[in-house]
Amino acid sequence: MAATLHDVARVAGVSIKTVSNVIHNYPHIRDNTKQRVLDAIAEVGYRPNLAARGLRLGRTGVISLVIPDLRNAYFSELAEAVMRAAAAHDLSVLIEQSGGSRESEIAALKGPRAEFVDGILFSVLELGEEDAPLLADVRVPMVLLGERIFNGPTDHVTMRNTEGTRAATEHLIEVGCTRIIALGSHPDEEVGSAALRTLGYRQALEAAGLPFRDELVRPVGTWHRFDGAEAMREVLASGIEFDGIVGFNDSLALGAMRVLSERGIRMPEDVAVVGFDDIDETRYSLPTLTTIAPGRDEIAKRAVEMLVERMDNRDAPPEPRELLTEFTLVRRESTAR
């Protein structure tokens, strides 16, 4: 049978109230008493009943993180950053993968998680401004992540997509590139990461007096390595001349770099490459990948802080806020001409 507070109190030689005070981190407890209780908890293997505690306190100590796709390295590393940020507030994180379709994101909003968590961090990929009223019906505090539903009914934390991609493209121009592939566009998208990053690419070309060439803007289905590799094979087969690549995320850039290496195309001597996201793998690729670090840890930290503030003020939540984190251009071997 599972150990109980009575078991802990008996082994520690203290009252049940003292055990409860230690578990809830009550400040006015002698150090030796606290240590006896902690030792007893370890000895009997006591685990708090979070469900019962949630019913008692109106809190579960758990928040939900809804992300589109764990295969995407950015989202898996974001999840890890959110877990670290939540731990600083004594919160656990329930991670759910939405799949990134509009239907699945709506289903996630209407799912049963509100019964089990204190708040939700939702990285939206397909829902748009017209879906903002759906957010108002969610019964627990929520903070949005990503590039959709600005001016919605809750807080929104995101990155500087346009400015970051403009800086990446400007860096390629600075090292001598004049025909730069934009890898990762979604031609029919008006709002979202791909549209915002295409805009940054275009702005950099215009500022440098370089023409915007439709054939250099390469669409992909998703933003995985195989999409970058396939798009690069198509570019090479077409005979298009290019001397730089700005990948709309690191995975696309890494997939393209693999194909370039297979074909004997040197980086950065023949083609300079920049990615976006600063995932861990970029430090170990050959060559190491220059990239835009979008402030992932800051996104996680501030989003959790905003969510906790909403959880603590459910009766009088703050007015919706929008926060854009700062980015950094991380120069590495793939552009070191």
Side-chain angles (χ1 to χ4, degrees):
M1 295 179 62
T4 66
L5 286 178
H6 293 274
D7 299 322
V8 176
R10 174 178 52 78
V11 172
V14 298
S15 68
I16 293 176
K17 178 62 175 176
T18 298
V19 174
S20 178
N21 286 341
V22 170
I23 290 173
H24 293 93
N25 204 27
Y26 185 74
H28 305 298
I29 301 175
R30 292 178 180 176
D31 289 341
N32 61 343
T33 301
K34 182 177 181 179
Q35 190 58 52
R36 290 210 322 271
V37 172
L38 294 175
D39 291 343
I41 288 174
E43 180 179 337
V44 303
Y46 173 73
R47 295 291 182 273
N49 186 327
L50 294 179
R53 182 186 178 197
L55 288 174
R56 228 176 23 251
L57 302 178
R59 289 282 187 94
T60 65
V62 179
I63 62 173
S64 174
L65 171 65
V66 184
I67 53 179
D69 185 2
L70 275 171
R71 292 182 304 163
N72 185 311
Y74 170 78
F75 289 117
S76 61
E77 293 186 18
L78 174 66
E80 193 271 338
V82 167
M83 292 172 69
R84 282 190 282 107
H89 296 272
D90 294 323
L91 294 170
S92 298
V93 182
L94 174 65
I95 298 173
E96 180 172 351
Q97 182 174 254
S98 70
S101 70
R102 184 173 183 274
E103 294 74 18
S104 63
E105 289 180 345
I106 291 175
L109 282 176
K110 296 181 177 180
R113 80 183 48 75
E115 305 296 332
F116 306 105
V117 299
D118 298 327
I120 300 173
L121 297 177
F122 200 142
S123 182
V124 176
L125 193 63
E126 290 295 328
L127 295 180
E129 300 287 346
E130 68 279 6
D131 298 306
L134 294 173
L135 306 180
D137 295 332
V138 178
R139 297 190 298 275
V140 297
M142 175 182 290
V143 172
L144 292 181
L145 307 175
E147 289 69 54
R148 311 284 289 193
I149 317 185
F150 286 91
N151 305 309
T154 189
D155 296 328
H156 190 170
V157 182
T158 187
M159 63 185 69
R160 297 185 182 275
N161 286 279
T162 300
E163 298 92 333
T165 309
R166 176 169 179 165
T169 309
E170 288 174 342
H171 175 60
L172 290 173
I173 295 170
E174 288 169 1
V175 300
C177 299
T178 59
R179 295 181 62 89
I180 301 169
I181 296 286
L183 185 57
S185 73
H186 293 160
D188 297 328
E189 184 178 272
E190 296 181 1
V191 178
S193 299
L196 294 170
R197 295 180 191 183
T198 301
L199 175 61
Y201 165 79
R202 181 189 287 269
Q203 288 177 350
L205 295 180
E206 291 175 350
L210 294 174
F212 178 88
R213 302 176 186 275
D214 289 332
E215 70 271 17
L216 295 179
V217 181
R218 309 303 296 188
V220 299
T222 58
W223 281 8
H224 295 293
R225 289 172 184 79
F226 61 82
D227 296 288
E230 183 59 28
M232 195 73 262
R233 292 188 186 100
E234 292 174 359
V235 168
L236 294 174
S238 71
I240 295 172
E241 295 183 4
F242 65 99
D243 55 8
I245 300 171
V246 55
F248 283 5
N249 78 348
D250 288 336
S251 293
L252 290 171
L254 290 168
M257 288 170 63
R258 173 67 184 185
V259 173
L260 292 175
S261 295
E262 290 172 350
R263 302 293 178 88
I265 298 172
R266 300 172 303 164
M267 297 166 283
E269 294 86 354
D270 301 324
V271 177
V273 185
V274 180
F276 196 116
D277 284 341
D278 192 30
I279 63 174
D280 189 58
E281 186 179 348
T282 58
R283 296 163 178 79
Y284 307 102
S285 59
L286 291 174
T288 55
L289 178 61
T290 295
T291 185
I292 296 294
R296 180 174 50 248
D297 288 345
E298 183 69 8
I299 289 172
K301 179 176 181 291
R302 295 301 303 276
V304 169
E305 289 174 348
M306 286 180 169
L307 186 61
V308 168
E309 184 177 354
R310 288 190 168 274
M311 288 157 47
D312 290 341
N313 298 278
R314 294 188 63 161
D315 294 333
E319 289 296 315
R321 299 160 290 183
E322 291 183 354
L323 173 67
L324 276 75
T325 57
E326 297 302 324
F327 67 88
T328 304
L329 173 66
V330 183
R331 294 173 172 84
R332 298 197 180 106
E333 296 167 349
S334 65
T335 60
R337 287 183 167 177

